[in-house]
Amino acid sequence: MSVQERKQRERADRERLIVATARELAEQQGWDAVTTRRLAERIEYSQPVLYSHFRGKREIIGAVALEGAAEMASAVRAAASVADDPRTRVTALARTYLEFAERNPAVYDAMFRLDGGLAFAHEDTPQPLKDAFAALLESLGEVAGDGVHPGLFTEVFWAALHGLATLTRAGRLPPEDTEQRVQLLVDRLPVA
């Protein structure tokens, strides 16, 4: 391995450490607790080293969001892949999405609530975000119904899931009724 390859590997390792530490701190204490000073102390590097990877907290949030999007896409695809019909796939997708949001609140916030400097629904949208949407579209597109644009249907269904995740987490919807809410969504699909 060349010196340059070793340095690139070490840089990538430091970057992963910064993101993992930010994520851990955010999950434990919330995003307000994530500061560059605190991260530098936890990873035992100076703040200038941290700034050599990320210009600030906003970019760190963006990195956590991209990592979370990749994880969510993988989880949704895995859940949908074991289902044998469209309704069961959508039910598995919805459950998995809501479980991901519940288990990873800080990551979910980085993905959808906080400013991570990421563009959504644009040409320059980062690939992990496009892939997460594609993971939803793969199952939801097949149940959109005749004459309904699959992408628009996916956006609306996603918005419903996001609303359920956000309102449940905020204590505005009782969590014990989550399964009934998922079933109500799935029961209204135009597919038999």
Side-chain angles (χ1 to χ4, degrees):
M1 173 181 299
S2 73
V3 171
Q4 183 176 358
E5 289 171 329
R6 181 183 54 78
K7 285 183 179 185
Q8 287 174 339
R9 187 187 75 228
E10 289 170 355
R11 180 172 176 74
D13 288 346
R14 270 192 315 272
E15 194 164 298
R16 279 190 293 276
L17 177 62
I18 293 166
V19 171
T21 304
R23 185 174 172 165
E24 179 184 322
L25 187 58
E27 291 292 0
Q28 291 171 353
Q29 300 176 30
W31 278 104
D32 287 342
V34 179
T35 64
T36 53
R37 185 176 58 82
R38 192 177 243 174
L39 283 174
E41 288 170 4
R42 283 215 176 183
I43 65 172
E44 299 179 346
Y45 284 99
S46 66
Q47 280 185 290
V49 169
L50 194 137
Y51 281 115
S52 74
H53 291 273
F54 299 99
R55 286 182 284 198
K57 183 175 176 177
R58 182 178 187 220
E59 283 189 5
I60 294 168
I61 290 169
V64 170
L66 293 176
E67 190 175 271
E71 290 172 11
M72 187 179 73
S74 177
V76 163
R77 283 190 174 110
S81 72
V82 296
D84 55 1
D85 65 82
R87 280 190 188 279
T88 307
R89 271 191 290 285
V90 173
T91 301
L93 174 151
R95 286 179 183 145
T96 300
Y97 182 98
L98 295 172
E99 288 167 6
F100 180 90
E102 182 182 356
R103 278 191 327 270
N104 305 283
V107 173
Y108 193 81
D109 284 350
M111 292 167 65
F112 300 119
R113 193 179 67 79
L114 301 174
D115 179 9
L118 304 173
F120 282 81
H122 286 59
E123 199 172 294
D124 60 343
T125 297
Q127 191 58 44
L129 298 179
K130 289 178 181 179
D131 192 47
F133 185 78
L136 298 174
L137 180 63
E138 289 162 11
S139 292
L140 293 168
E142 69 180 328
V143 298
D146 293 336
V148 178
H149 187 279
L152 290 176
F153 180 80
T154 300
E155 289 172 353
V156 171
F157 200 92
W158 171 31
L161 291 176
H162 176 70
L164 290 174
T166 303
L167 292 169
T168 301
R169 182 169 155 208
R172 288 171 175 77
L173 295 176
E176 62 271 12
D177 295 333
T178 297
E179 184 59 32
Q180 289 176 292
R181 291 185 194 97
V182 167
Q183 210 50 59
L184 279 170
L185 277 174
V186 173
D187 287 348
R188 267 102 192 123
L189 294 174
V191 173

